[in-house]
Amino acid sequence: RKVRVVADAIRGKKVSDAKNILTFLTKRASSPLHKLLNSAIANAKNTDGEVKDLKVKSIEVNGGAILYSRRPVAHGAAHTIRKRTSHVKIILESK
């Protein structure tokens, strides 16, 4: 849900505007999404050749694998710590 807040901020924007938003947004998820957007732009450049009028058509954030670990607590018990990950799919389109 934390990544979805950042994804909602760039959905439907031009690529240049989305890069500016991700650069100045003070969320931890903005850096990985910035890398993903740059990768998508590079892929579009290799396939189409033009990256002038690209726009973020859609961006999906789904739950990924959960990494489990244990933390010791009082009376010899342990609490489960769940480190959640996410799968992000981004689709760019040219105008």
Side-chain angles (χ1 to χ4, degrees):
R1 83 192 141 93
K2 295 178 182 182
V3 180
R4 286 188 182 111
V5 172
V6 179
D8 291 340
I10 66 168
R11 184 176 289 122
K13 303 270 197 277
K14 287 189 212 175
V15 169
S16 58
D17 294 339
K19 285 177 79 169
N20 284 335
I21 290 169
L22 290 175
T23 301
F24 296 109
L25 198 62
T26 58
K27 295 282 188 182
R28 189 173 177 189
S30 64
S31 176
L33 284 181
H34 197 274
K35 283 182 174 182
L36 179 69
L37 182 62
N38 286 336
S39 176
I41 292 168
N43 288 340
K45 182 189 265 186
N46 284 337
T47 50
D48 294 338
E50 289 188 28
V51 293
K52 197 171 190 179
D53 296 326
L54 285 179
K55 172 181 154 182
V56 179
K57 180 178 180 183
S58 70
I59 182 166
E60 268 181 44
V61 181
N62 296 319
I66 301 174
L67 307 174
Y68 292 98
S69 62
R70 305 267 183 217
R71 178 183 174 137
V73 291
H75 301 291
H79 286 169
T80 303
I81 296 173
R82 293 181 305 243
K83 183 170 172 83
R84 297 178 185 266
T85 60
S86 55
H87 295 291
V88 182
K89 185 186 344 180
I90 188 166
I91 300 173
L92 302 178
E93 73 173 349
S94 58
K95 288 185 177 180

